[in-house]
């Protein structure tokens, strides 16, 4: 009905696609630069990096994530990320074969999602030659893993085993976790950010998670950053100056991103509640979404119809 179906891509493939659009990516893209200071005046912004290099630009877009250095340095409504009292195991299996799917009880190209102690989801992603099977399981916790503990989790770790013990033996999480190598298994805390009331300061503006970091339960984190970029580009092209462009960008994006963040925060509480009344209400709500049209239409309106990108052909 909208001219497209539900789809997804690997983040690395998206980045490569964006890189291909650059005329001279070797000079435009610069790696291993840690930002340490920003100074700006009415004419330009000066960036200073840890390696001693400096750069001057007409304006700067801080798309540097939930732990934004740009927001911290310029004190743009800066507040620390908020821990959601939930953690996640996130695994990726390269080149899944039919034997794995059969062992896991999965159908090719299917998305499996459900609740237990948190949310479980698994799905295939990527083109045929780089196909992977992604799986994730969230669980409630009072403490997030330390940053240095995020990567390379041994499949036999006590933390993972404690989660696996919560699932029945026939659940696909058991075979999926067993086929996940340590270098493709992550364990980290889920954080979000208080929705900022200000997204710019001088000639510097924020974008994506740096100003509205959300939890993953609505599947809109990367999507909202892409929408930000499109709206900001249109504002810079049509407004009389950067101040007007930045303010118009904020006004157009503030309400939608705030709703997405709030929706994901509510879903987090529902997924991890231990209250039996709320559990029954959650399961009833999910069944209504899957079986009825009303709830799906509400989600469709928020995610699709409220999307600011209307001319899809323009960006294809």
């Amino acid at each position: 009905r909208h001219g497209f179906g539900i789809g997804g891509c690997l983040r690395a493939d998206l980045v490569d696609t964006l890189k291909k659009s650059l005329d001279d990516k070797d000079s435009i893209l610069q790696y291993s630069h840690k930002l340490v200071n920003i100074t700006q005046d009415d004419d330009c912004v000066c960036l200073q990096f840890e390696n001693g290099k400096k750069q001057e630009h007409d304006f700067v877009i801080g798309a540097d994530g939930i732990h934004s250095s740009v927001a911290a340095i310029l004190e743009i409504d800066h507040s620390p990320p908020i821990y959601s009292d939930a953690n996640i195991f996130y695994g990726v299996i390269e080149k899944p074969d039919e034997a794995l799917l059969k062992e896991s009880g999965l159908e090719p190209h299917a998305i499996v999602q459900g609740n237990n102690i948190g949310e479980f989801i698994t799905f295939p992603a990527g083109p045929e030659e780089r196909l992977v099977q992604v799986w994730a399981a969230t669980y409630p916790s009072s403490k997030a893993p330390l940053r240095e503990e995020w990567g390379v989790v041994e499949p036999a770790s006590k933390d993972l085993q404690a989660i696996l013990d919560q699932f029945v033996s026939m659940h696909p999480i058991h075979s999926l976790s067993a086929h996940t190598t340590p270098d493709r298994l992550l364990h980290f805390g889920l954080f979000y950010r208080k929705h900022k009331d200000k997204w710019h300061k001088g000639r510097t503006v924020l974008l994506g998670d740096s100003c509205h970091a959300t939890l993953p339960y609505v599947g809109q984190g990367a999507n909202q950053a892409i929408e930000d970029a499109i709206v900001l580009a249109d504002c810079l092209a049509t407004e009389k100056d950067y101040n007007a462009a930045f303010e118009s960008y904020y006004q157009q994006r503030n309400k939608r991103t705030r709703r997405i963040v709030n929706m994901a925060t509510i879903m987090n509480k529902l997924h991890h509640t231990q209250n039996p009344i709320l559990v029954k209400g959650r399961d009833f709500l999910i069944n209504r979404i899957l079986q009825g049209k009303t709830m799906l239409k509400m989600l469709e309106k928020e995610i699709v119809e409220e999307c600011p990108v209307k001319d899809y052909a323009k960006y294809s």
Side-chain angles (χ1 to χ4, degrees), residues 289-305:
I289 290 174
L290 295 176
Q291 297 177 11
K293 294 182 178 180
T294 302
M295 295 300 294
L296 281 174
K297 285 182 177 179
M298 291 173 61
L299 287 172
E300 184 182 65
K301 183 179 186 302
E302 178 60 65
I303 304 301
V304 179
E305 294 179 9

Side-chain angles (χ1 to χ4, degrees), residues 45-288:
V45 186
C46 180
L47 305 178
Q48 183 175 342
F49 299 97
E50 191 177 55
N51 57 14
K53 294 183 179 180
K54 294 182 178 181
Q55 295 180 1
E56 289 189 355
H57 300 280
D58 293 331
F59 58 85
V60 168
I61 300 171
D64 54 340
I66 190 170
H67 299 283
S68 173
S69 298
V70 174
I73 292 170
L74 293 181
E75 297 183 343
I76 304 178
D77 193 15
H78 186 62
S79 57
I82 301 168
Y83 179 48
S84 68
D85 294 324
N87 299 332
I88 185 172
F89 281 100
Y90 180 90
V92 177
I93 303 171
E94 297 183 7
K95 298 180 179 179
D97 55 23
E98 291 184 10
L100 171 64
L101 297 180
K102 185 176 181 179
E103 181 183 336
S104 305
L106 302 174
E107 295 289 335
H109 313 297
I111 297 176
V112 176
Q113 189 171 11
N115 289 287
N116 190 318
I117 55 172
E119 182 187 28
F120 169 81
I121 188 170
T122 183
F123 53 89
E128 197 66 35
E129 66 273 14
R130 293 193 304 283
L131 187 67
V132 299
Q133 185 74 26
V134 178
W135 65 272
T138 68
Y139 66 94
S141 178
S142 60
K143 182 181 179 182
L146 298 175
R147 192 72 178 265
E148 56 268 24
E149 299 172 346
W150 283 17
V152 191
V153 180
E154 291 293 338
S157 74
K158 292 182 179 179
D159 288 332
L160 178 57
Q161 192 57 52
I163 302 306
L164 296 179
D165 289 344
Q166 303 294 319
F167 291 85
V168 297
S169 60
M170 295 298 292
H171 196 281
I173 192 173
H174 296 289
S175 58
L176 292 171
S177 61
H179 285 84
T180 306
T181 58
D183 61 315
R184 301 308 304 270
L185 181 60
L186 299 178
H187 182 212
F188 54 92
L190 295 174
F191 291 80
Y192 65 100
R193 180 174 285 288
K194 174 188 173 186
H195 202 280
K196 291 180 180 294
D197 294 323
K198 185 177 182 181
W199 292 5
H200 63 92
K201 187 173 186 178
R203 289 178 167 269
T204 303
V205 64
L206 303 178
L207 182 150
D209 279 359
S210 64
C211 48
H212 51 71
T214 183
L215 293 168
Y217 302 106
V218 190
Q220 285 292 301
N223 293 359
Q224 292 307 303
I226 293 171
E227 288 182 15
D228 281 355
I230 291 172
V231 172
L232 178 57
D234 286 343
C235 290
L236 288 168
T238 56
E239 295 292 343
K240 61 181 179 180
D241 56 45
Y242 69 88
N243 277 314
F246 291 168
E247 186 58 33
S248 177
Y249 158 66
Y250 173 76
Q251 293 300 330
Q252 291 184 54
R253 296 295 297 151
N254 175 46
K255 290 183 179 179
R256 174 167 168 80
T257 54
R258 189 183 295 271
R259 290 196 304 269
I260 295 292
V261 171
N262 291 343
M263 188 188 306
T265 303
I266 292 171
M267 291 299 292
N268 172 64
K269 295 182 185 300
L270 288 175
H271 278 305
H272 300 109
T273 182
Q274 302 300 305
N275 184 310
I277 296 176
L278 290 178
V279 168
K280 287 185 177 180
R282 176 199 66 198
D283 293 344
F284 173 78
L285 179 64
I286 291 175
N287 284 332
R288 285 292 302 275

